[in-house]
């Protein structure tokens, strides 16, 4: 059974940093691209970042480019999101999601077949 | 403002057929696959339709997707109370080099 468990969320001051983790199990982690999607309170879904299975290709939303870094440790079956220079508008529930199929980039990156339950990030003074 | 445009709300009575539209452009829906997600209250999203019109195993055939040009639609037939949820469309955008979501449509079953 595929499981994705996010952790690392919490309360942080504006300008601060946080690292999110997503522990994956139930599939061959290194074979699949992974993604972070966030949802601000009461708002819709927003794609944040994606990474290919071998970590060689990364993609970012303009809203986080230069501040967030996605990475993965395939030996630990874990996905990460390093978030720096956090702003109030980054407050959201952050989901990690598995990308379906053998996808390394482009059109298939929108296909998220499994999602975690999310970890809440609150940016506030 | 979302790159993909969806109506904020839709409604229907049990047994009815409802459709939710998703409008984009040549850089996203016009040249890439469309995906539809269902988010029940308080839960993580779940994929309903992938590659424009494909249903994952376990998704009832009451749900169907279509795409024409730069627009896509999700149709739900035989509406049931448990279909009350938020629905999102998504697609890769070649110009942005990223995934874009619609703003979401809240479906109410009257």
């Amino acid at each position: 059974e595929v499981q994705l468990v996010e952790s690392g969320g919490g309360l942080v001051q504006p300008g601060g940093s946080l690292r999110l983790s997503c522990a994956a199990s139930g599939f061959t982690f290194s074979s699949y691209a992974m993604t972070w999607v966030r949802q601000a309170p009461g708002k819709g879904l927003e794609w944040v970042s994606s990474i290919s299975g071998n970590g060689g290709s990364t993609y970012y939303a303009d809203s986080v480019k230069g501040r967030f870094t996605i990475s993965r440790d395939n030996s630990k079956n874990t996905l990460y999101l390093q978030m720096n220079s956090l702003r109030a508008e980054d407050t959201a529930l952050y989901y990690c999601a598995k990308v379906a199929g053998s996808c390394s980039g482009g059109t298939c990156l929108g296909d998220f077949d499994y999602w975690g339950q999310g970890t809440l990030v609150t940016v506030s003074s | 403002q979302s790159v993909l445009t969806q109506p904020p709300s839709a409604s229907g009575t049990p047994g009815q057929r409802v459709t939710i539209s998703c409008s984009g452009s040549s850089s996203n829906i016009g040249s890439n696959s469309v995906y539809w997600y269902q988010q029940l209250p308080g839960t993580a999203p779940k994929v309903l339709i992938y590659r424009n019109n494909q249903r994952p195993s376990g998704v009832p055939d009451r749900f169907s997707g279509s795409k024409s040009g730069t627009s896509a639609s999700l149709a739900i037939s035989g509406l049931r109370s448990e279909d009350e949820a938020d629905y999102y469309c998504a697609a890769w955008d070649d110009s942005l080099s990223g995934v874009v979501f619609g703003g979401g449509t809240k479906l109410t079953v009257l």
Side-chain angles (χ1 to χ4, degrees):
Chain A
E1 179 195 4
V2 172
Q3 283 199 321
L4 300 171
V5 180
E6 302 94 335
S7 61
L11 175 63
V12 61
Q13 291 188 336
S17 299
L18 215 52
R19 188 176 85 154
L20 306 184
S21 299
C22 172
S25 60
F27 63 102
T28 306
F29 183 68
S30 60
S31 295
Y32 296 93
M34 298 291 293
T35 285
W36 289 98
V37 173
R38 68 185 181 184
Q39 186 169 34
K43 301 297 184 182
L45 301 175
E46 180 188 12
W47 172 78
V48 174
S49 182
S50 296
I51 186 169
S52 60
N54 64 7
S57 297
T58 57
Y59 309 85
Y60 297 94
D62 286 345
S63 58
V64 307
K65 203 171 292 183
R67 300 187 300 122
F68 291 11
T69 302
I70 191 171
S71 63
R72 62 193 298 159
D73 185 335
N74 287 343
S75 68
K76 296 182 178 178
N77 290 350
T78 302
L79 174 72
Y80 301 101
L81 185 68
Q82 176 67 44
M83 304 186 295
N84 298 332
S85 303
L86 283 161
R87 306 166 180 167
E89 53 264 36
D90 295 318
T91 294
L93 185 63
Y94 284 72
Y95 294 103
C96 76
K98 172 184 169 292
V99 177
S102 55
C103 175
S104 58
T107 188
C108 53
L109 277 181
D111 191 359
F112 312 132
D113 57 355
Y114 290 93
W115 298 63
Q117 287 307 302
T119 186
L120 182 62
V121 172
T122 303
V123 184
S124 174
S125 54
Chain B
Q1 266 71 349
S2 302
V3 174
L4 303 182
T5 301
Q6 297 180 235
S9 63
S11 63
T13 56
Q16 266 192 333
R17 182 178 188 271
V18 298
T19 61
I20 297 172
S21 62
C22 176
S23 177
S25 68
S26 57
S27 64
N28 42 65
I29 293 178
S31 52
N32 293 292
S33 294
V34 177
Y35 304 88
W36 288 94
Y37 295 90
Q38 177 194 57
Q39 187 175 33
L40 297 169
T43 70
K46 160 193 161 183
V47 61
L48 273 185
I49 298 290
Y50 66 99
R51 271 187 253 142
N52 306 320
N53 55 18
Q54 302 299 301
R55 270 188 318 275
S57 59
V59 173
D61 59 6
R62 302 186 296 105
F63 294 90
S64 62
S66 64
K67 185 180 102 167
S68 178
T70 59
S71 293
S73 292
L74 173 71
I76 309 171
S77 60
L79 199 60
R80 304 175 68 162
S81 58
E82 56 260 40
D83 298 332
E84 196 160 277
D86 294 323
Y87 293 84
Y88 296 90
C89 57
W92 177 262
D93 190 294
D94 293 330
S95 297
L96 297 174
S97 292
V99 178
V100 290
F101 279 97
T105 298
K106 183 176 185 61
L107 175 64
T108 301
V109 181
L110 302 169

